[in-house]
Amino acid sequence: MTPISCRYSSAIPKNASGPAILLLEEHHIYIQPINYPTVAKGTERLRITPSPYHDDGLIDQLAEALLQVWERLGLPLHEKSLAAE
């Protein structure tokens, strides 16, 4: 499976831990944040690692949870990539 990078402005929050914490606390979804110094400042991201256990229903739940967290934090949404089709 090809990795997907979910990038957002580093203004709010300052790193990827904010969305990761909300996903865990509110949606019971663990996603590994990747923050500076592992990646350059301003390119913080979440590492999403699906497995064969993750069926279409779980992927849909993740997508909805990500949208809710992004909206709650006021993070910008971008058009989905063609790879997501």
Side-chain angles (χ1 to χ4, degrees):
M1 188 168 273
T2 305
I4 298 172
S5 176
C6 298
R7 293 178 47 183
Y8 54 89
S9 168
S10 61
I12 302 173
K14 298 269 184 214
N15 59 47
S17 296
I21 290 169
L22 285 177
L23 284 165
L24 183 60
E25 289 178 350
E26 296 182 2
H27 300 278
H28 309 287
I29 297 172
Y30 176 75
I31 292 183
Q32 180 66 46
I34 305 173
N35 295 312
Y36 174 83
T38 303
V39 296
K41 289 182 181 178
T43 65
E44 296 85 355
R45 61 199 74 182
L46 301 175
R47 175 177 289 144
I48 300 174
T49 311
S51 74
Y53 167 77
H54 298 97
D55 60 20
D56 290 345
L58 291 172
I59 300 298
D60 289 344
Q61 289 175 5
L62 170 61
E64 183 60 34
L66 285 168
L67 282 172
Q68 289 176 18
V69 167
W70 251 240
E71 288 172 0
R72 179 168 173 191
L73 294 174
L75 300 173
L77 295 172
H78 302 284
E79 289 185 35
K80 64 182 176 179
S81 69
L82 294 177
E85 294 288 318

